[in-house]
Amino acid sequence: MTGNGPGDNELAAMKEGAIVVAHMNALANKKDVQAMANAGITAIAMELMPRITRAQSMDVLSSQSNLAGYKAVLDAASEFGRAFPMMMTAAGTIAPAKVFIMGVGVAGLQAIATAKRLGAVVTATDVRPATKEQVESLGGKFLVVDPEMEKDAQTEGGYAKAMPPEYFEKQKKVVAEHITKQDIVITTALIPGRPAPVLVTEEMVKTMKPGSIIIDLAVEAGGNCPLSELGKVVKKHGVKIIGHENVPARLAEDASALFAKNLLNFITPHVDKEKKTLSLDWEDETVTGTCITRDGQVVHPLLTGQEEDEKAPVKEAGEKQAEESKPADSKDEESDTKKP
């Protein structure tokens, strides 16, 4: 069991039939998946865990995206040159910071809650109309793009679908007008196996106020802003654009503890207490839904082309993260997502 899938050296040292349980990022690393199949490894990709009630405690995307959303706001506050809450003093009044969250998955929801606790005025948007109530329940205001198109923007599992080009054109117009008034923008949109959708264009960045902040939780998948750079804090057109790599790992102790608990909750039902051995139940959907290689073959439907891409979970950058575009939440994908 590990945070990441095995590298070439690790794979070469494993015996045929070994079981590897990890965050594989399988949909984006198909060559690595095939290499594990060729080595005779049984590989379990935890990021593909089915979104069912029984599997919630095993969901690595949710646990890691939650941390990513929280840390994203703290990173923004650290880089921002002003206070978050309104402050009324004898010397004058400080206006509250305006925070815009793009993608209301797990990472996005946690970002909303954290920004509100710090006293910011928060708005958020997502392709799934069901997230409007979630945003408002946390004290945020929901920014609607196209109510009609958004009616069919969610899969049966509650994930965000990839939207048609015309939706993104409308989104650009709505967001472009809104973003000029924002101090901080946090993006969390990820779609497994595909480049992250561009949500904040360079033209939008040019219209933002000097000193504004963009946190791109999807930077590892290409970014929701084309100006973001992986692992760097850059300044473009007077705006700081933050593209930290593996954001949950910036809270390493909590990320590792939650990830370990996810793994424990997954394997515990499959431990033979009498023989003290691991015996996977191949009729259990938490196993069939996450197993990507077995008996020398790639077996997961999303990797063999037997299942429609739109049924793949949306990660949040953050989500890991993010999925929860989502981020996904439904669960995200927010950020998607991210490994401890």
Side-chain angles (χ1 to χ4, degrees), residues 36-201:
M36 287 187 282
N38 294 341
I41 301 297
T42 297
I44 302 294
M46 292 296 290
E47 74 274 13
L48 298 179
M49 185 64 64
R51 293 301 175 84
I52 56 177
T53 301
R54 181 166 59 86
Q56 287 181 350
S57 64
M58 312 171 195
D59 191 343
V60 298
L61 294 183
S62 292
S63 66
Q64 301 304 301
S65 293
N66 195 47
L67 293 175
Y70 167 77
K71 185 59 174 172
V73 176
L74 297 190
D75 287 340
S78 177
E79 296 287 347
F80 192 44
R82 290 172 34 211
F84 263 47
M86 173 184 284
M87 294 184 181
M88 301 181 70
T89 73
T93 299
I94 298 174
K98 295 180 179 179
V99 178
F100 182 37
I101 312 296
M102 302 187 73
V104 187
V106 171
L109 288 170
Q110 182 57 249
I112 293 169
T114 303
K116 284 296 295 183
R117 285 196 294 268
L118 290 178
V121 174
V122 181
T123 54
T125 188
D126 193 285
V127 300
R128 296 156 300 157
T131 60
K132 181 176 185 292
E133 184 177 342
Q134 296 172 334
V135 171
E136 293 174 345
S137 71
L138 293 172
K141 181 178 179 181
F142 191 78
L143 183 68
V144 177
V145 174
D146 187 317
E148 288 302 316
M149 294 182 72
E150 290 170 352
K151 286 181 179 179
D152 191 37
Q154 184 169 302
T155 67
E156 293 180 1
Y159 300 99
K161 291 182 180 179
M163 299 299 285
E166 53 267 31
Y167 175 84
F168 289 108
E169 288 302 315
K170 290 185 178 182
Q171 183 185 56
K172 286 179 182 178
K173 293 179 181 179
V174 174
V175 170
E177 180 179 349
H178 185 68
I179 211 170
T180 60
K181 307 170 187 176
Q182 304 306 302
D183 298 306
I184 293 167
V185 177
I186 299 175
T187 67
T188 70
L190 283 170
I191 301 176
R194 304 179 187 177
V198 174
L199 303 181
V200 182
T201 65

Side-chain angles (χ1 to χ4, degrees), residues 307-330:
E307 187 170 331
E308 295 178 356
D309 287 344
E310 69 177 27
K311 293 184 179 180
V314 174
K315 295 192 295 184
E316 279 191 326
E319 56 82 326
K320 257 180 185 271
Q321 354 192 61
E323 257 157 73
E324 115 189 44
S325 313
K326 160 176 96 104
D329 18 355
S330 107

